[in-house]
Amino acid sequence: DAGVTQSPTHLIKTRGQQVTLRCSPKSGHDTVSWYQQALGQGPQFIFQYYEEEERQRGNFPDRFSGHQFPNYSSELNVNALLLGDSALYLCASSLGAGVREQFFGPGTRLTVL
Amino acid sequence: EDQVTQSPEALRLQEGESSSLNCSYTVSGLRGLFWYRQDPGKGPEFLFTLYSAGEEKEKERLKATLTKKESFLHITAPKPEDSATYLCAVQAFGNNNAGNMLTFGGGTRLMVKP
């Protein structure tokens, strides 16, 4: 049973560029959440997708956007990259609404120079 | 605003030396409290879900407990392979009950020396 997968593993960009990160949820899961984790800190919630719509959003600017596809996979897009966007981006999947465990992927390490 | 605070930030133990990690939380209404383990450069690995005060769960050398204001992760006779960052997170009732976002604490970095 495949767990959550993310691509790419690492990415280096320069300020002002745009980036797209990808996530495939755990088999049978229909909900995808994205988190940003700065070095030495806990993950911070960016947004959550369910049935191809953004269901909930954290305190992140509009430069952060996403998409969910009919097969439940998801993309995170970040425009006009800033140095402060350098972080580990984590994707988590779960089943439906309610109190559900979220299972995390290995993350994408984004470095902005 | 929901808040989660973990202490200590870092903990060094000798192999076999039992201890506890603390997670204090302030939420509008708790739906669930989660513990995760995170190894360096990897994604968090799910450990436990606790739903109500008084609940306890165990897995190998780990036991998680929950009160109305905090949760503890007790580590009994730890081994070097237990070294990791332990994260606590809450799901809370809020204005938007449609989502189930997690609010994380800063984590406790545990180092167990042989």
Side-chain angles (χ1 to χ4, degrees):
Chain A
D1 180 21
V4 179
T5 60
Q6 293 186 244
S7 63
T9 304
H10 296 89
L11 205 51
I12 299 175
K13 292 285 187 178
T14 57
R15 283 178 296 175
Q17 285 189 312
Q18 178 265 342
V19 68
T20 298
L21 310 181
R22 296 177 176 81
C23 170
S24 291
K26 182 179 170 67
S27 178
H29 285 183
D30 57 7
T31 301
V32 173
S33 304
W34 286 92
Y35 294 81
Q36 180 195 67
Q37 186 176 27
L39 202 59
Q41 298 182 20
Q44 282 196 296
F45 176 75
I46 303 175
F47 43 55
Q48 184 177 85
Y49 277 85
Y50 173 71
E51 292 188 340
E52 302 180 51
E53 291 191 358
E54 183 181 289
R55 180 162 70 176
Q56 194 173 23
R57 189 178 182 94
N59 295 325
F60 278 80
D62 292 343
R63 298 186 297 109
F64 289 77
S65 63
H67 187 78
Q68 186 178 35
F69 299 94
N71 66 353
Y72 308 121
S73 66
S74 177
E75 287 183 350
L76 164 65
N77 301 292
V78 187
N79 294 322
L81 285 167
L82 303 174
L83 296 180
D85 294 332
S86 295
L88 181 68
Y89 287 85
L90 296 163
C91 170
S93 73
S94 56
L95 178 61
V99 185
R100 294 280 188 270
E101 298 82 27
Q102 294 185 18
F103 293 87
F104 285 82
T108 294
R109 172 68 63 187
L110 173 64
T111 302
V112 182
L113 301 176
Chain B
E1 183 177 326
D2 303 328
Q3 288 191 330
V4 179
T5 303
Q6 292 187 244
S7 62
E9 291 186 2
L11 181 62
R12 291 187 179 186
L13 299 174
Q14 288 295 130
E15 185 173 1
E17 179 186 3
S18 301
S19 189
S20 296
L21 282 54
N22 177 265
C23 170
S24 298
Y25 62 91
T26 304
V27 297
S28 51
L30 182 69
R31 298 173 78 184
L33 185 141
F34 301 80
W35 282 98
Y36 286 87
R37 168 192 171 129
Q38 186 174 28
D39 292 304
K42 297 188 177 181
E45 174 189 348
F46 170 75
L47 294 174
F48 303 109
T49 307
L50 301 168
Y51 297 98
S52 58
E55 189 174 1
E56 298 183 354
K57 288 195 176 173
E58 288 187 66
K59 179 180 180 180
E60 297 181 353
R61 295 177 293 282
L62 301 177
K63 183 169 91 170
T65 62
L66 181 64
T67 73
K68 289 185 178 180
K69 294 183 178 181
E70 56 192 351
S71 177
F72 293 93
L73 184 65
H74 307 278
I75 303 177
T76 302
K79 298 181 177 182
E81 53 262 41
D82 294 323
S83 297
T85 294
Y86 290 85
L87 295 165
C88 170
V90 297
Q91 278 184 9
F93 291 104
N95 292 327
N96 180 2
N97 287 326
N100 55 3
M101 63 174 281
L102 293 174
T103 299
F104 280 88
T108 294
R109 294 186 303 281
L110 174 65
M111 293 157 281
V112 182
K113 294 194 171 184

